[in-house]
Amino acid sequence: FNRPGLNISQLITRNDFESAIKTEVEDSHICINESLVAAGLKATDIDKVILTGGSSQVPLFHQMLTEMFSSDR
């Protein structure tokens, strides 16, 4: 949070951050599954997932996608 005359900085642990975003990651998982169903596809039909934007840098989100689309499933 940064406004002229006001600077707030707070360090949090990775565990705290992942706990805070867990619901959003789970919601993303549901949305991806619903999209696959609507398209008549399975995760195994997807050859490559290309990540863009800020979420692509979030390890928990990356882990969820890796587990979802891993060829080792």
Side-chain angles (χ1 to χ4, degrees):
F1 190 83
N2 190 357
R3 287 191 307 191
L6 179 62
N7 294 310
I8 298 173
S9 177
Q10 177 67 46
L11 293 176
I12 63 171
T13 65
R14 178 175 171 172
N15 189 51
D16 288 342
F17 176 70
E18 289 181 350
S19 292
I21 66 166
K22 182 178 179 183
T23 300
E24 286 75 15
V25 172
E26 291 169 351
D27 289 347
S28 295
H29 189 276
I30 291 167
C31 183
I32 293 166
N33 275 329
E34 289 174 351
S35 297
L36 288 170
V37 169
L41 298 171
K42 299 176 187 169
T44 53
D45 296 325
I46 305 300
D47 294 326
K48 184 186 283 189
V49 176
I50 300 172
L51 302 176
T52 63
S55 296
S56 66
Q57 301 301 312
V58 177
L60 184 61
F61 189 71
H62 190 263
Q63 177 186 344
M64 179 268 295
L65 290 173
T66 299
E67 290 171 2
M68 204 173 174
F69 292 103
S70 173
S71 60
D72 296 336
R73 283 176 268 124

